[in-house]
Amino acid sequence: MEIVNPWVALAYLVAGVCFILALRGLSSPSTSQRGNRFGMAGMLIAVGTTLLTHIPRGVFPPEERPFDPTNIDWTAGAEILAAIGIGAVIGLTTARRIRMTAMPQLVAAFHSLVGLAAVLVGVAAYLNPQAFGIADLVIPMLAKPFAVIHPVSKVEMGLGVAIGAITFSGSVIAFLKLNGNMGGKPILLPGRHVINLGILAAILLLVMQFAHTQDVWPFWTLLALSFAIGFLLIVPIGGADMPVVVSMLNSYSGWAAAAMGFTLHNSAMIITGALVGSSGAILSYIMCRAMNRSFLSVIAGGFGATAGGGDGEKIDRPWKRGSAEDAAFLMQQAEQVIIVPGYGMAVAQAQHVLREMADKLKEHGVRVKYAIHPVAGRMPGHMNVLLAEANVPYDEVFELEDINSEFAQTDVAFIIGANDVVNPAAKTDKASPIYGMPVFDVGKAKTVLFIKRSMGGVGYAGVDNDVFYADNTMMLLADAKKMVEEIVKALA
């Protein structure tokens, strides 16, 4: 009877608990730093345990192999440590240099690397199955010996590379959309639903075929089709739904890692992948509910997407322009100001001076609150991260459902760099790509101050905003950071 090393099982259990605590901590900005520390500790334990069980030589499977410091494969150890060192340098350099505005596309890039890693592991296991312990060596009488991969391992491998390839190509498209290399409008291919369903059915059939045959073509064909379907699933999804796409791809990357964990017989990968996959799926579902989107429609590649509504055309209408002095006077006289940040704030890096403005207003006796939409920015929690970076008190930050009713009793709604999340077209225009998405009722405030660079922009979803032209709206056209700095000077 095979007995798994109890210390290995215990270490992986501790790592799994750390990952669960990490997810728990990341559920709130106030505990996110502690959650990150738990995540890093869990990953250190998981990686260290895996190295210690695979570097020593021996005839036993890795998790049953006792660690013997005198019997280490130093060549393999040096290669692994060198790879870890290179990755660590790249990761540290990227983390130090990346701007907060580029964080969403960085997350998409990370997801693509996870998917690609799963594909490469699957290909390696397919080409050398004996090294992974998933095959039996067959020695015929007159033919060359060959390895026969276990059918169950083939199913695990096929699903792993399929999910990994979908994650990779889908994440690449998400990166290009988020980075501005592709437009935010949905790219609707003719007959896309039939094509997508046909390819997905073909992939499942190929996995079954691969499990019951020694032929080469099913594996490589399902891999190619998986790369293609990842592309086809993401291109029809418009810019307004990109935060859901990011969380969805996060889920895919987790399931790809879990599938490869079965191939590698590594319980830590299975646990971690399952946690990431399930939490990403739950987050995607929560965000779809926040946007009044169908979860199944979004993961099926924007099943309900239409070409209308997001053409970005503007109608020449009268609007009022204000100055920093006007904004400072109005807010200084207010009892309550609700600040609604958006991606424009991230682009301008205005979160620090925005907090300074709020502090000035509080000195004048003004009550200040921040209203955060679930899909503001380009990824889940984007605005929360920016405000936390600026040390905005957590008790001043409110979600949509908790604060939306207060706009009717608010003196000033201060919109900085947001558009789609305050656009009433989501409630009135059925042809709009954001129709049905819950939005802030900023127009109900006594005065709306709207900071944007120019009247030419119509938001990421490409929809003009009627709030710009309302009688109670004053447009503050300038770079968000410069405008807020001028307001702070006027408040002094």
Side-chain angles (χ1 to χ4, degrees), residues 206-230:
L206 286 168
V207 171
M208 296 170 56
Q209 176 73 12
F210 175 56
H212 294 91
T213 182
Q214 297 299 315
D215 294 336
V216 174
W217 67 268
F219 178 80
W220 299 110
T221 305
L222 75 87
L223 181 58
L225 290 177
S226 299
F227 280 122
I229 194 64

Side-chain angles (χ1 to χ4, degrees), residues 186-243:
I187 301 175
L188 306 180
L189 303 177
R192 65 189 186 280
H193 304 322
V194 176
I195 295 173
N196 290 350
L197 291 174
I199 293 178
L200 288 173
I203 290 173
L204 294 176
L205 291 174
L206 286 168
V207 171
M208 296 170 56
Q209 176 73 12
F210 175 56
H212 294 91
T213 182
Q214 297 299 315
D215 294 336
V216 174
W217 67 268
F219 178 80
W220 299 110
T221 305
L222 75 87
L223 181 58
L225 290 177
S226 299
F227 280 122
I229 194 64
F231 167 83
L232 294 172
L233 285 174
I234 304 302
V235 291
I237 300 178
D241 292 332
M242 286 312 294

Side-chain angles (χ1 to χ4, degrees), residues 357-442:
M357 183 193 80
D359 291 341
K360 290 282 187 180
L361 289 173
K362 285 185 283 186
E363 290 176 4
H364 287 88
V366 180
R367 186 168 60 254
V368 178
K369 295 183 179 181
Y370 297 81
I372 306 298
H373 196 282
V375 295
R378 296 294 182 268
M379 70 176 187
H382 199 179
M383 295 301 105
N384 298 83
V385 172
L386 290 171
L387 295 181
E389 182 188 20
N391 295 318
V392 170
Y394 299 126
D395 58 358
E396 295 179 4
V397 180
F398 297 86
E399 300 295 334
L400 182 146
E401 62 272 12
D402 298 324
I403 199 172
N404 207 20
S405 61
E406 293 191 27
F407 282 101
Q409 294 82 40
T410 296
D411 297 295
V412 177
F414 187 83
I415 322 300
I416 175 169
N419 184 13
D420 298 332
V421 299
V422 297
N423 195 333
K427 296 183 177 181
T428 60
D429 185 3
K430 293 185 178 181
S432 170
I434 63 172
Y435 179 74
M437 181 177 77
V439 294
F440 288 117
D441 298 323
V442 296

Side-chain angles (χ1 to χ4, degrees), residues 25 42 92 109 157 159 169 174 179 208 224 230 239 244 318 328 336 361 365 375 466:
L92 287 172
M157 187 190 308
L159 292 176
S169 56
N179 204 44
M208 296 170 56
V244 180
Q336 175 167 289
L361 289 173
V375 295
D466 287 340

